[in-house]
Amino acid sequence: MKIRTLVILCTLGCYITLAGLAWGGTYLSKTEALKRAFPQADRVETVSLFLTPEEVTEISRLAGAPLTSPLHTFYVGKKGTQTLGYAAIEAATVRTMPETVMIVLTPDARVSFVEILAFFEPEEYLPSRRWLQQFVGAQLSDALRIGGSVQAMTGATLSAQAVTRQVRLTTALAQRIQERH
Amino acid sequence: MNRLLSLALLMTLLLAQPGVGQAASTEELERRLDLITAELQKMKNETAVTDQAYSSDYGLGPAASKVYKLSKGLSIGGYGEAKYTNYVQDQGSNVDTADMVRLILYTGYKFTDKILLNSEIEFEHGKVEGGKDGGEVAIEFANIDFLLDEKVNLRAGLMLMPVGITNELHEPTLFHGNDRPLVERQVIPATWRELGVGAFGQISEGLEYKLYLVNSLDASGFDSKGIRGGRESGSKAKAEDFSLVARFDYEPTLGLNLGGSAYLGNAGQGQEFNGKQVDVFTQIYEVHGQYKVRGLELKALASRVEIDDTEQLNGVPERVAGWYSEVAYDLLPHIVTGTSQYLAPFVRYENIDYAGSNQDVELLVSGLSYKPIPNVVVKADYRNFNNFGTGKADAADEVNLGIGFIF
């Protein structure tokens, strides 16, 4: 009997303690994220890519994943005339719900870091910081895939696949930016 | 949809409006194009991360327009598997079968950032019909999580027991072969869930724990194969006895997972067995490891169940010990460069040993798992049973062909 009473009290206690917590699913706003992407920058510019159908096909082929839009926006961190890096903020579907990921690239299109800005699937599928860190320094290659140089995430296969796909697409797109700037 | 209409209107106005009686300059057109691009980027990719500046969106007041910026919190998913079994040796009276093994619908609801529901409803073996031997409809789990702190979170409801590899992660894309490992069916009775409360969290980077208090197993369901029949699954469960389950998982480096768990508790549930009330203290211990690197997958698990007072329980073993180990390798990237598909041959050896009953079995499974996309798997496997030392004939060998999916 004592254990049961304890269980009931614990459960009630939890409800009371936790009542009134906030809505959400967003970890970082765009402004905060871009500050984190380019802490040294004196300004952040935007560069848009308006791709031709041929370019969409080519980038999809390079990335090994379909590019769903011909229009892409990159943020460019600038200090004076110096380019500090590029950042893409992209939303994608994980299972049925979206995540928003920021991929920050160095001026030579290597991954500087990857940050999850918003995640609407259950939190247990959220990629850990340590898992995201394996993209640091990565550039587009055949090995940049799960089972290649990217480790799978136990129990969160679809999140892992979604983020890896976004990194591949962004690094493929970044090659275009470099060609043009 | 409203947003798309508004955007179309905005684009038309911006591009068509030439100013006062003259065509817009190239600079002006560029400026407008930039505006439209920025708006599109916001809608496509930044809905969730746009700063909340108490602005009014699309003519709605700030409070009302909030619903456009936030997720509604509902998450839907699911998985399923179907298989065809052909008995190839010593078929005996077995009939080849085709089975819609299970279809599961997952629903999650995020009430707030910190309080959420996870649940799964399972349909097994195609259909359920009154009075006939068929499938079942069951709640696989339904628990509310209270996310307090990375180190301590609370969970209550019908919970998957955190024992073994497969019980908590049982989607068909996550294990090789059409059937889940036999050790995680007969020794650890996956899918195993009970009602209770618990805590879980991450103690430090890569070190996670779970600690649950749940209603105990019911020893009146135990049989010669062990505890499987004693699962209560949250269905008017007897709750005279409670059990503790503890689990640790350690990931020293990405790709290497090591873990173990223990389950302790009485399963007598206040009942009499052969005229005597006994505790039937039941203990389950389990250790497991998985290692994945560059297409190579290694997996191993060992578990031991100990049941007290078996002299009062007819034919129930006092100890069940089982282990398996598995190796698989994704060949496809070596054949097709840059492929995102997956093709892995695998082999798994399993061994279950009983003390106090006559059900010992050795199982060798080998086969192929093919994933054209990560969500879909096509499986083929061969299962060879050896009922060594039981004095019984070996169970028939099987060829299994199946599909599985997760979304």
Side-chain angles (χ1 to χ4, degrees):
Chain A
M1 261 333 244
K2 271 184 182 168
I3 290 181
R4 252 177 289 179
T5 318
L6 190 70
V7 168
I8 292 164
L9 284 177
C10 280
T11 315
L12 278 175
C14 294
Y15 276 104
I16 293 162
T17 319
L18 291 165
L21 286 165
W23 248 112
T26 304
Y27 304 115
L28 272 184
S29 74
K30 176 186 160 186
T31 315
E32 292 164 331
L34 288 175
K35 257 183 219 148
R36 194 172 291 189
F38 311 115
Q40 315 289 331
D42 50 33
R43 67 188 188 283
V44 176
E45 296 176 353
T46 51
V47 173
S48 293
L49 287 176
F50 302 90
L51 301 170
T52 64
E54 292 74 31
E55 286 175 316
V56 170
T57 313
E58 172 64 6
I59 287 165
S60 301
R61 193 189 60 76
L62 277 174
L67 190 68
T68 50
S69 167
L71 175 58
H72 289 271
T73 300
F74 275 83
Y75 297 97
V76 189
K78 291 273 191 182
K79 188 175 187 181
T81 53
Q82 193 195 352
T83 298
L84 301 173
Y86 305 98
I89 296 177
E90 300 263 341
T93 305
V94 179
R95 190 172 50 185
T96 53
M97 297 300 285
E99 66 178 0
T100 309
V101 171
M102 177 174 72
I103 296 149
V104 182
L105 304 168
T106 60
D108 63 345
R110 281 176 180 271
V111 177
S112 173
F113 67 91
V114 178
E115 183 95 41
I116 309 283
L117 305 187
F119 194 80
F120 293 99
E121 290 287 3
E123 208 118 331
E124 62 202 84
Y125 302 125
L126 179 70
S128 70
R129 191 152 291 277
R130 182 158 66 144
W131 187 83
L132 291 171
Q133 266 166 7
Q134 61 184 326
F135 290 105
V136 173
Q139 55 184 347
L140 186 63
S141 76
D142 283 337
L144 185 62
R145 60 178 172 80
I146 290 172
S149 60
V150 183
Q151 286 290 352
M153 197 168 13
T154 312
T157 327
L158 299 183
S159 307
Q161 294 285 355
V163 174
T164 309
R165 213 160 39 230
Q166 284 172 304
V167 173
R168 287 190 64 94
L169 282 166
T170 302
T171 44
L173 280 166
Q175 294 185 350
R176 291 287 143 183
I177 293 266
Q178 281 192 306
E179 284 164 19
R180 293 179 185 189
H181 292 267
Chain B
M1 213 50 204
N2 279 339
R3 308 190 114 198
L4 285 178
L5 281 175
S6 310
L7 182 73
L9 196 64
L10 175 72
M11 288 173 101
T12 320
L13 283 173
L14 280 169
L15 289 175
Q17 185 189 40
V20 189
Q22 60 181 29
S25 63
T26 313
E27 291 78 38
E28 178 59 13
L29 282 176
E30 272 180 7
R31 192 184 71 84
R32 292 176 190 181
L33 198 57
D34 285 347
L35 278 176
I36 291 165
T37 311
E39 283 297 307
L40 261 179
Q41 165 71 4
K42 241 193 266 174
M43 284 184 188
K44 270 168 48 188
N45 294 312
E46 294 169 0
T47 325
V49 296
T50 303
D51 301 272
Q52 305 276 327
Y54 292 100
S55 61
S56 168
D57 279 8
Y58 311 113
L60 295 169
S65 63
K66 240 183 162 183
V67 295
Y68 283 108
K69 293 177 175 172
L70 294 171
S71 155
K72 294 268 170 39
L74 180 68
S75 171
I76 292 176
Y79 66 91
E81 48 192 317
K83 68 166 181 172
Y84 163 68
T85 303
N86 182 287
Y87 294 97
V88 285
Q89 246 187 355
D90 316 311
Q91 180 163 359
S93 58
N94 289 329
V95 176
D96 294 347
T97 54
D99 191 21
M100 181 68 222
V101 183
R102 47 177 68 90
L103 177 69
I104 277 93
L105 290 175
Y106 163 89
T107 359
Y109 195 80
K110 202 169 187 173
F111 300 104
T112 75
D113 213 14
K114 304 281 183 186
I115 304 180
L116 42 106
L117 164 77
N118 282 312
S119 72
E120 275 185 10
I121 298 174
E122 166 178 70
F123 297 82
E124 277 194 346
H125 306 299
K127 70 166 187 176
V128 180
E129 207 169 314
K132 289 191 184 169
D133 187 21
E136 65 173 35
V137 176
I139 295 175
E140 197 147 277
F141 62 84
N143 52 249
I144 305 266
D145 284 359
F146 302 90
L147 306 176
L148 303 176
D149 180 83
E150 194 175 54
K151 288 189 169 64
V152 189
N153 303 287
L154 300 174
R155 173 170 289 171
L158 185 61
M159 312 186 294
L160 290 171
M161 294 294 89
V163 181
I165 297 170
T166 311
N167 199 54
E168 290 184 295
L169 301 172
H170 46 245
E171 290 89 344
T173 51
L174 298 179
F175 59 88
H176 291 291
N178 284 278
D179 294 85
R180 298 167 179 176
L182 191 68
V183 171
E184 295 200 78
R185 183 181 159 80
Q186 268 176 234
V187 187
I188 299 165
T191 312
W192 179 22
R193 64 273 187 186
E194 303 290 356
L195 284 160
V197 293
F200 63 100
Q202 183 172 309
I203 299 168
S204 63
E205 181 78 61
L207 181 62
E208 292 176 2
Y209 76 94
K210 290 190 178 101
L211 180 66
Y212 294 174
L213 178 71
V214 296
N215 69 261
S216 282
L217 291 160
D218 176 8
S220 66
F222 291 0
D223 61 18
S224 63
K225 283 189 174 172
I227 59 175
R228 189 174 179 81
R231 296 174 302 172
E232 300 213 73
S233 309
S235 180
K236 295 179 181 170
K238 292 170 188 149
E240 290 289 328
D241 286 326
F242 290 87
S243 295
L244 270 177
V245 202
R247 175 192 182 100
F248 284 94
D249 280 294
Y250 181 47
E251 191 177 25
T253 166
L254 283 177
L256 177 64
N257 293 80
L258 304 169
S261 60
Y263 170 99
L264 304 169
N266 291 342
Q269 299 283 16
Q271 301 166 103
E272 288 192 352
F273 297 90
N274 289 329
K276 189 178 167 194
Q277 187 172 330
V278 285
D279 288 341
V280 198
F281 182 57
T282 303
Q283 308 163 67
I284 305 169
Y285 302 98
E286 166 271 329
V287 288
H288 61 261
Q290 290 191 81
Y291 184 54
K292 290 184 182 175
V293 64
R294 303 247 165 211
L296 176 69
E297 300 168 24
L298 303 171
K299 194 171 178 177
L301 176 145
S303 181
R304 186 184 174 98
V305 177
E306 288 182 16
I307 308 165
D308 287 1
D309 303 314
T310 48
E311 61 280 5
Q312 301 297 318
L313 309 170
N314 297 332
V316 173
E318 60 194 58
R319 178 180 55 72
V320 188
W323 64 274
Y324 70 82
S325 93
E326 179 186 275
V327 57
Y329 188 74
D330 179 14
L331 290 175
L332 216 52
H334 298 288
I335 302 167
V336 188
T337 319
T339 184
S340 57
Q341 302 189 23
Y342 171 101
L343 176 70
F346 75 94
V347 59
R348 179 168 71 235
Y349 173 81
E350 306 195 47
N351 185 306
I352 307 177
D353 179 58
Y354 288 83
S357 77
N358 201 16
Q359 298 285 351
D360 294 0
V361 61
E362 233 181 22
L363 169 61
L364 188 65
V365 195
S366 56
L368 279 175
S369 300
Y370 168 60
K371 296 180 196 170
I373 54 170
N375 305 48
V376 172
V377 63
V378 180
K379 296 177 173 185
D381 65 76
Y382 189 93
R383 300 214 298 168
N384 170 261
F385 293 88
N386 180 355
N387 299 90
F388 62 95
T390 60
K392 294 186 294 188
D394 291 344
D397 285 8
E398 296 167 3
V399 171
N400 296 295
L401 301 172
I403 51 159
F405 57 85
I406 170 176
F407 65 93

